[in-house]
Amino acid sequence: MTKKQRYQFVIDYFLTHSPQAETELRYDNPYQLLVAVILSAQCTDKRVNLTTPSFFNKYPHPESLSKAELDDVFTLIKSISYPNNKAKHLIGMASILTKKFNGIVPMTVEELIELPGVGRKTANVITSVIDNQPNMAVDTHVFRVSARIGLTTNAKTPFSAEKQLISLIPKALIHKAHHWLILHGRYICTARNPKCFECGIKPACKFYSKQWKLEI
Ligand code: SF4
């Protein structure tokens, strides 16, 4: 199987079985998604979704969050990993959003990464989820799943994996492919004990073929 055929198989599979894939984070507007994605670093979406309703109730827009006390934000998010750093980042992010961007979340990766707590991965999530931009956020699931299937080869960094993925996934599908790979990594191709026998990708998966010494 050539790399091109592998990509085609994986894309066809997900288009058929998961056409509606989307983020599991709950949000009503770009500001809420930005807060949720910052909170989700090294934390589960489920845990974030339990926390954000009361957070958005208290801080409904960037301006209110920019004026928040650190201790108050910490208390609201203390069940989330790294609450101290994230509380600082959230207030800093809201402050720049308010002063520099009139409270509107910018929609370019370059502008977004100016905000505290926002790196390339977060910026790619925001621009792809809100604006369907062809940006691929590579988190630990996307990195692992892409390497196992053989969509990426010898990628040493998330950025290298990102470049390989966006070079071979059709532009119009990149924003969706991010969710396909994340959800596949979360529920099927888990870090430990991937569920290969129930996985529909196995006919095209390098990891599976190596394990079972199959020719694909
Ligand atoms: S066959 Fe196994 S390793 Fe390959 S994608 Fe499926 S779960 Fe992951």
Side-chain angles (χ1 to χ4, degrees):
M1 183 179 268
T2 64
K3 199 164 208 175
K4 213 173 164 193
Q5 289 168 326
R6 176 167 291 116
Y7 268 81
Q8 198 55 56
F9 183 99
V10 171
I11 289 166
D12 289 346
Y13 174 82
F14 284 124
L15 277 174
T16 305
H17 293 91
S18 194
Q20 309 296 344
E22 59 188 9
T23 180
E24 293 184 318
L25 291 169
R26 295 205 196 106
Y27 68 98
D28 287 331
N29 55 50
Y31 158 71
Q32 291 191 356
L33 181 66
L34 183 53
V35 169
V37 176
I38 289 173
L39 289 173
S40 72
Q42 318 226 12
C43 188
T44 64
D45 288 1
K46 264 188 194 162
R47 163 76 42 204
V48 172
N49 288 337
L50 288 173
T51 305
T52 44
S54 49
F55 188 95
F56 297 143
N57 201 24
K58 183 148 189 188
Y59 305 115
H61 37 65
E63 198 181 350
S64 52
L65 180 56
S66 72
K67 293 175 184 156
E69 293 293 330
L70 186 61
D71 285 353
D72 294 340
V73 176
F74 178 90
T75 304
L76 270 177
I77 65 167
K78 66 173 187 259
S79 65
I80 285 195
S81 54
Y82 308 107
N84 200 31
N85 272 346
K86 287 180 182 174
K88 282 183 201 154
H89 284 154
L90 287 170
I91 296 171
M93 172 278 284
S95 174
I96 297 183
L97 214 48
T98 306
K99 286 183 197 141
K100 185 163 177 189
F101 297 102
N102 285 328
I104 294 165
V105 177
M107 274 305 136
T108 68
V109 169
E110 292 68 30
E111 289 170 310
L112 279 162
I113 58 177
E114 289 180 34
L115 303 170
V118 179
R120 185 175 180 84
K121 186 178 69 180
T122 298
N124 281 346
V125 172
I126 302 298
T127 51
S128 62
V129 171
I130 300 289
D131 201 28
N132 289 349
Q133 290 180 31
N135 296 332
M136 170 64 71
V138 177
D139 73 347
T140 177
H141 295 303
V142 174
F143 192 77
R144 180 184 69 255
V145 171
S146 307
R148 278 184 182 160
I149 297 173
L151 297 177
T152 55
T153 309
N154 296 326
K156 301 277 184 263
T157 62
F159 186 52
S160 157
E162 178 187 326
K163 281 198 291 188
Q164 291 186 39
L165 289 166
I166 61 171
S167 71
L168 285 165
I169 297 172
K171 226 174 170 185
L173 292 175
I174 291 173
H175 69 281
K176 204 166 263 293
H178 159 73
H179 301 301
W180 288 338
L181 295 170
I182 281 196
L183 295 173
H184 198 64
R186 201 172 277 169
Y187 298 111
I188 304 286
C189 192
T190 44
R192 278 179 279 168
N193 306 321
K195 301 179 179 82
C196 296
F197 289 115
E198 59 186 83
C199 174
I201 302 291
K202 61 179 175 290
C205 177
K206 269 194 167 175
F207 178 93
Y208 185 82
S209 67
K210 256 190 207 160
Q211 242 187 357
W212 296 95
K213 301 193 173 40
L214 304 170
E215 296 264 328
I216 60 168

